[in-house]
Amino acid sequence: MIDTISTEIAEGEERIRLDVADGIAELTLCRPEKLNGWSWESTRQLGLLADRIRFDPAVRVVLLRAEGRAFCAGIDVTAPGGAITGGSAAERNRNYYEGIRWVHERFAVLARLPQPVVAAVQGYCLGFGFELALMADVRVAAQDAVFALPEAQLGVAVDAGGDLRIAREAGAGWAKFLALTGRRIDARTAERLNLVQQVVPAEELEAVARSLAEEIAANAPLAVQGIKRAIDSYADAALPAALDRVAMTAALTLTSEDSREGYTAKAQRRPPRFTGG
């Protein structure tokens, strides 16, 4: 696992870029050659940049976007520090549990920003990418966007609460349908399920999402932030306890033999042979 204590982002190691202008903080996933694959370092940088946004009085709204043909294709399995070790199975399980709890805390910094977050999603939005987009307050998707939570196909749990947020937006049945099968859905289906609020042609995504951010930024900041807090306090009432259960389930599955088999099978492009161990 990467050094979670550092508050610096080394030059050339940016996973996310922050630009602030005209009341809009633009958070850009900037590893298009990796399809903006997610890592421990991505999580650390997200928390750092969200903290900077939180206390910047010039920021009235956040625009979450990505470079390239994908929003985020999920975990970057080639990233350094991907695996967590331990002297025993119990210690490794405990270390994964604390690691996932740390991820939840960093993601919460973004989700609980006082400023609203507008996500602009194109191409692949899978796994952690889908979970990240679901933390935004409003989502605009390009017609080519593809959404999925494929974790169960790899033998692991949905790590960051994306299935819980789908249950909140679309209902428990759809959350189970998507998370238990790992099926992919297109942008129009995501819109029908209330997982995105607007679908636009790919060439219009940037302009439409930015225009929406500008519309929110033009409104009274205290009113906007109060509205967001009130809605979140109602919609997320059961989330903290459920996320702790998610962290434990994720730790158990990430240290399982099924998880090892799932990733091996994917690398070898064959069906996995899960045993429940």
Side-chain angles (χ1 to χ4, degrees):
M1 190 172 174
I2 50 87
D3 178 11
T4 59
I5 304 301
S6 173
T7 58
E8 300 298 324
I9 299 174
E11 186 174 350
E13 292 301 317
E14 297 91 349
R15 268 65 170 175
I16 308 171
R17 188 176 63 248
L18 172 62
D19 301 287
V20 178
D22 302 322
I24 299 175
E26 194 172 292
L27 281 175
T28 302
L29 308 187
C30 56
R31 285 249 167 143
E33 72 283 358
K34 294 281 190 178
L35 299 182
N36 298 310
W38 203 258
S39 64
W40 297 108
E41 177 61 18
S42 303
T43 300
R44 187 184 74 87
Q45 292 186 19
L46 178 70
L48 289 176
L49 297 176
D51 268 340
R52 294 177 190 174
I53 291 168
R54 179 179 183 178
F55 295 105
D56 188 341
V59 175
R60 294 191 171 194
V61 67
V62 179
L63 177 59
L64 178 63
R65 57 180 298 276
E67 293 179 345
R69 60 190 179 92
F71 179 76
C72 173
I75 293 291
D76 178 7
V77 296
T78 68
I84 289 181
T85 59
S88 67
E91 183 183 5
R92 189 162 169 256
N93 183 275
R94 177 264 182 198
N95 290 345
Y96 262 116
Y97 173 63
E98 290 303 325
I100 296 298
R101 288 183 65 231
W102 173 83
V103 170
H104 290 174
E105 290 161 6
R106 303 285 79 73
F107 274 22
V109 178
L110 174 72
R112 296 175 186 169
L113 280 173
Q115 303 95 333
V117 179
V118 176
V121 179
Q122 80 278 9
Y124 292 124
C125 185
L126 311 177
F128 255 99
F130 194 5
E131 297 191 85
L132 178 64
L134 286 166
M135 290 178 204
D137 299 290
V138 181
R139 290 165 290 280
V140 180
Q143 288 174 342
D144 68 352
V146 178
F147 302 87
L149 294 175
E151 285 87 345
Q153 297 174 344
L154 298 171
V156 298
V158 180
D159 306 58
D163 46 356
L164 307 181
R165 291 180 169 88
I166 292 174
R168 180 188 65 191
E169 304 289 347
W174 278 111
K176 292 173 184 176
F177 180 84
L178 294 175
L180 295 177
T181 65
R183 285 195 190 182
R184 296 183 177 187
I185 57 172
D186 60 20
R188 288 298 180 192
T189 303
E191 182 183 36
R192 180 167 59 86
L193 297 180
N194 299 320
L195 301 178
V196 302
Q197 282 64 58
Q198 201 169 356
V199 176
V200 299
E203 64 273 15
E204 297 178 15
L205 176 65
E206 192 75 24
V208 171
R210 184 171 297 279
S211 176
L212 177 58
E214 290 171 348
E215 188 176 346
I216 295 170
N219 292 331
L222 293 180
V224 166
Q225 293 176 19
I227 290 167
K228 173 177 174 170
R229 279 193 297 270
I231 293 172
D232 283 350
S233 66
Y234 169 76
D236 296 339
L239 198 59
L243 281 173
D244 189 70
R245 185 178 293 266
V246 165
M248 179 54 71
T249 304
L252 287 169
T253 56
L254 284 164
T255 55
S256 69
E257 290 302 316
D258 275 354
S259 171
R260 189 191 306 272
E261 165 63 12
Y263 280 101
T264 300
K266 183 179 181 182
Q268 296 176 353
R269 297 187 177 181
R270 61 169 174 81
R273 296 183 288 271
F274 294 129
T275 63

